[in-house]
Amino acid sequence: MVSAKATGPHSPGSLLSVEDLSIADVSTLLSLTSRLERMQHAERSQLLSGRRVALLFYESSTRTRTSFELAAKSLGITTTLVSDKSSSIEKGESLKDTGLTLRALGAECIILRHQHSGAPVLLERVTGLPVLNAGDGTHEHPSQALLDLRTILTRLPGLERDVVDARSLAGITIVITGDILHSRVARSNAMLLPRLGARVILCGPKELLPEEAFGLGANVEIERNFDRALDGANVIMMLRIQRERLAGLELDLTGYMAHFQLSQDRLRTHAPHALVMHPGPMIRGLEIAGEIADGPQSAIEDQVRHGLAVRSALLLRALASADETRRLAGEVRL
Amino acid sequence: MKQRDVVVHSGRLVDPAAGLDAERDLLLRDGRVAAVEMPGGLRALQETELVDAGGCIVAPGLIDLHVHLREPGQAWKETIATGTRAAAKGGVTTVVAMPNTLPVNDSVETLAWMLAPERDAAVRLLAMPAATRGSLGAELTDFAGLVRAGAVGFTDDGKPILEDGIMRAALVSAAREGVLISQHAEDTRLTALTGGSSGVNAGALAFRLGLRGMTIEAEARLVERDIALLAEIERNEGLRPHLHVQHVSTARALAAIRAARQAGVHVTCEATPHHFTLTEDAVRGYDTNAKVNPPLRAAADRDAVIAGLLDGTVDCIATDHAPHAQHEKQVEFDRAPNGLTGLETSLGLALCALYREHGASIADIVTRMSTNPAALLNRSDLGTLAAGSAADIVIFDAGAEWTFTAGRSLSRSKNTPFDQALMLGRVRTTLVGGQVVYTDPDSAPS
């Protein structure tokens, strides 16, 4: 059959989608994360000393931006932040030209957050630089999936944190609930976690969870009844309703909360031991009861901490040689 | 100065309109086919220019009912001169220019400007002006005046003629003028909700890519509405309007067209090479060169388009050649314009997919690309090489494989998903009105 030209990532250090990572790559990244976390500050800050990374943010962000920036600084990297406000992007400069400008200024890697799905693919293609996808439109947020994975491996009992294979999450049920349609976090998690053996259940109303979500992969199920979904869940991931992306969609919030809010009653009745996660930003009292976010089952702050660690590993993978990355990752196994 | 006679000899003439598929030599005189003779039958003629078609198919030149030449107003994408040279290279001898230019081709003045010799068209240029003023969908253009000035049909292409009342009036007026209405079938009342002309098929892949897809219903519902209008007009007005459905891409729209044909209303349709060769998989890497409206569909719909071409439900192949500059396409997927270039790859893709893979005959391909489009335009002088018809000819080597390189295209734009794709059937020579307008530099006879 006639085939169109394939376009894949050029740069081995890039992370555009969780699909770019083999299970072995994920394992290496987790080992590297732990190794970097344990390393003395003085040693760590020499690893990528003097290297230059640009953070290019077309959308607002607290967690992702700050953790990438702090992760970079902890490795000795010089960072610069460009946001759509207060830059020539406001004057109409294209993503391509912004990327080429950053490259000309010495950026060796670009961390991109963008409101359009697929923007990191374009940026990588035109600059040839490693690009780390820090969230693109409603497509993916791969570093979030990695930090969520590490959070799960750390918090659930009996799991090996630093080495994974296709069975690592066997027997684990993960329920992702809320605005799946607009969630890049849901997509990345639903595409990554089943490859490690997890069963992923997506839950939400039709408007926010269309049937097409089946296509995210094998081992992804849809359950519209939240209570039923929660029965037997080991992990619950709650998502914010992304009002900024609803685009005319009318949603009955009272009805939504009645059916899909993670309330204390619901959690106590259906999943009293499950780990509760939220990628943030979280709207307390809407998708999740505030008490749960602050309660013993919550891993929300852990997620943020793991984000910092995992993003250090991603930066090292982007900027160090493959051998160096493997060497550092391998040391923890000795 | 009088043009020298031309003899095209030693080729296999495939002219479905004349019921011919055999070795024949052609004599071209004064822009027309003067004689069709048995091989060697024109050898005695003196003072002729000889075109050796040995080993090649000789067919009536291809007719493309759907091209965007971007003039007036968007010459950075394409001009009539560059677009028609790309056509000649693709074996296309007649193109029908769509009206979504700047300004919209909705007046006799703009139409005359487009068709003027100063535009330097390399092949026969026809035009379908807008059905409504500014293609805004509110008020019909001057159909009678535009037909006198050369309009071969009407369309608001790029957009549908959406309002029932306006579409009905357009079909009635076109029927009175004896021309067709060519409809871009997209119910934008449905697609507006999901993000406009998204350029990607609604479904699992679009969901996974985080893109808003265009549904099958958006196309099918408008086709079904238009067919209902045809039947109603036939009943109540005693007219027989001709609806031509552009770039059909779904099994459901094809089913509606097939049923309407059986019911006897006058509906025809075209399919593009990209819709019968590619699927939505081509946008997997956010390739904006595969972003097109209607979008590339899933395999089942692509296969339905192929089946429609093979069983005759799809009358013709048209490219929807839609050039865009690199800076316009090299942007975020959502922000890129829809469309891809196609004039130089239509024959190669048709032969690859329909002839080689699905067993269509060369005559079937010529029927879809020349005979039928000429008939839809009521042009008995085109789409055939019978004596007396226009000497518009494509000579191609149907067995030659080659690789298309976008960078070598004669179009001003290179936005094609077929860069480096394998093609079958190499155009050796293209003639329009008896004059050679393209010769393959790799096969120029010594």
Side-chain angles (χ1 to χ4, degrees), chain A residues 70-324:
Chain A
L70 292 175
K73 292 201 157 101
S74 79
L75 295 164
I77 295 169
T78 302
T79 62
T80 182
L81 171 70
V82 179
S83 74
D84 59 332
K85 318 283 185 304
S86 77
S87 75
S88 287
I89 296 164
E90 266 189 321
K91 301 173 189 167
E93 187 162 49
S94 69
L95 178 60
K96 173 180 173 170
D97 288 319
T98 304
L100 293 177
T101 301
L102 292 173
R103 187 180 69 180
L105 288 168
E108 298 168 81
C109 167
I110 302 176
I111 299 161
L112 177 68
R113 165 160 292 190
H114 201 286
Q115 70 273 33
H116 287 303
S117 300
V121 179
L122 171 69
L123 184 67
E124 189 200 53
R125 198 179 296 149
V126 296
T127 62
L129 293 177
V131 170
L132 299 181
N133 180 1
D136 61 327
T138 56
H139 175 225
E140 279 218 48
H141 197 349
S143 65
Q144 178 76 40
L146 289 170
L147 73 88
D148 286 343
L149 170 63
R150 192 166 194 258
T151 305
I152 293 167
L153 294 171
T154 307
R155 283 285 299 259
L156 290 188
L159 298 178
E160 162 66 55
R161 188 174 73 170
D162 296 337
V163 183
V164 289
D165 59 30
R167 303 279 305 148
S168 291
L169 296 178
I172 305 291
T173 298
I174 296 159
V175 176
I176 308 178
T177 300
D179 186 356
I180 312 276
L181 176 62
H182 299 107
S183 176
R184 49 202 179 204
V185 176
R187 281 176 183 74
S188 286
N189 271 311
M191 288 197 273
L192 177 66
L193 301 176
R195 290 167 63 204
L196 303 172
R199 173 180 177 221
V200 168
I201 299 175
L202 304 177
C203 183
K206 263 206 156 60
E207 304 93 297
L208 300 178
L209 174 57
E211 291 293 322
E212 290 90 72
F214 271 122
L216 291 178
N219 269 339
V220 176
E221 300 162 36
I222 292 178
E223 169 58 66
R224 305 227 177 252
N225 183 307
F226 192 23
D227 293 342
R228 263 206 300 273
L230 287 176
D231 291 328
N234 304 95
V235 177
I236 307 161
M237 292 187 185
M238 299 306 298
L239 301 172
R240 177 180 68 99
I241 292 175
Q242 300 191 29
R243 292 177 191 232
E244 69 275 24
R245 298 191 217 269
L246 283 180
L249 195 70
E250 295 291 335
L251 199 69
D252 163 24
L253 279 185
T254 313
Y256 179 82
M257 286 160 60
H259 289 104
F260 297 103
Q261 186 190 66
L262 188 62
S263 63
Q264 285 182 291
D265 269 359
R266 192 166 255 148
L267 187 65
R268 204 177 300 124
T269 310
H270 294 280
H273 306 294
L275 194 65
V276 176
M277 297 171 65
H278 196 305
M282 141 175 90
I283 311 297
R284 288 172 185 251
L286 206 167
E287 71 270 15
I288 186 168
E291 294 81 358
I292 294 176
D294 298 329
Q297 288 174 255
S298 168
I300 295 170
E301 284 180 40
D302 288 353
Q303 289 174 273
V304 178
R305 274 191 291 275
H306 288 301
L308 184 60
V310 162
R311 285 167 181 140
S312 307
L314 287 173
L315 282 160
L316 195 98
R317 175 176 171 271
L319 291 172
S321 70
D323 284 349
E324 174 75 352

Side-chain angles (χ1 to χ4, degrees), chain B residues 90-446:
Chain B
V92 177
T93 55
T94 297
V95 291
V96 178
M98 293 293 110
N100 59 339
T101 48
L102 293 175
V104 170
N105 178 21
D106 61 1
S107 69
V108 169
E109 292 71 31
T110 304
L111 177 59
W113 185 91
M114 286 172 76
L115 299 180
E118 290 76 21
R119 300 291 86 72
D120 191 24
V123 304
R124 215 173 282 279
L125 174 63
L126 304 174
M128 277 189 204
T132 66
R133 265 183 226 285
S135 284
L136 295 172
E139 189 189 345
L140 290 192
T141 52
D142 174 14
F143 279 25
L146 286 161
V147 167
R148 277 196 301 278
V152 297
F154 294 91
T155 180
D156 279 349
D157 182 42
K159 301 177 195 171
I161 306 168
L162 196 59
E163 295 304 321
D164 297 357
I166 298 291
M167 184 58 179
R168 186 185 188 282
L171 286 166
V172 166
S173 299
R176 293 205 169 105
E177 299 300 328
V179 295
L180 54 80
I181 292 290
S182 184
Q183 173 78 304
H184 169 102
E186 175 191 348
D187 192 335
T188 46
R189 289 164 296 206
L190 293 177
T191 52
L193 288 174
T194 55
S197 297
S198 66
V200 59
N201 185 43
L205 179 66
F207 183 86
R208 188 183 181 124
L209 293 173
L211 298 171
R212 290 164 182 270
M214 185 183 291
T215 60
I216 285 167
E217 286 70 32
E219 172 173 285
R221 282 209 351 204
L222 210 61
V223 170
E224 288 157 4
R225 189 277 312 260
D226 288 347
I227 287 169
L229 283 174
L230 288 180
E232 181 271 318
I233 292 167
E234 284 205 19
R235 261 196 325 273
N236 295 325
E237 305 284 342
L239 288 166
R240 188 167 160 75
H242 178 185
L243 169 72
H244 180 69
V245 181
Q246 298 182 338
H247 42 53
V248 63
S249 69
T250 62
R252 188 170 142 191
L254 279 163
I257 291 165
R258 202 173 273 125
R261 284 264 184 85
Q262 275 158 10
V265 297
H266 194 186
V267 54
T268 57
C269 68
E270 69 194 27
T272 71
H274 46 278
H275 286 116
F276 66 71
T277 55
L278 299 179
T279 66
E280 59 185 353
D281 275 347
V283 302
R284 201 173 275 277
Y286 298 94
D287 182 1
T288 57
N289 285 334
K291 180 178 178 180
V292 65
N293 185 14
L296 300 172
R297 302 287 188 180
D301 282 308
R302 190 267 317 270
D303 293 347
V305 173
I306 292 172
L309 280 157
L310 297 176
D311 74 14
T313 305
V314 178
D315 300 87
C316 50
I317 294 168
T319 60
D320 192 6
H321 176 81
H324 293 291
Q326 192 194 40
H327 74 265
E328 296 168 310
K329 278 288 198 180
Q330 210 172 49
V331 297
E332 299 85 339
F333 192 89
D334 280 336
R335 299 180 61 203
N338 283 303
L340 51 96
T341 59
L343 283 165
E344 292 171 41
T345 49
S346 57
L347 180 62
L349 291 170
L351 288 168
C352 238
L354 303 176
Y355 167 67
R356 183 157 68 187
E357 286 181 39
H358 291 280
S361 66
I362 298 287
D364 292 335
I365 303 291
V366 175
T367 299
R368 303 280 174 276
M369 301 189 78
S370 182
T371 320
N372 285 353
L376 297 194
L377 298 172
N378 298 316
R379 288 290 297 256
S380 57
D381 60 327
L382 302 180
T384 176
L385 293 176
S389 48
D392 294 2
I393 301 173
V394 57
I395 300 170
F396 61 96
D397 179 351
E401 287 188 345
W402 58 289
T403 301
F404 175 69
T405 299
R408 293 172 62 187
S409 169
L410 296 181
S411 168
R412 185 160 279 185
S413 295
K414 319 293 177 196
N415 53 304
T416 164
F418 296 110
D419 188 27
Q420 300 310 310
L422 187 73
M423 302 281 144
L424 180 65
R426 182 107 184 160
V427 173
R428 298 302 184 195
T429 309
T430 308
L431 298 97
V432 174
Q435 305 223 3
V436 173
V437 294
Y438 173 76
T439 306
D440 180 6
D442 298 337
S443 69
S446 50

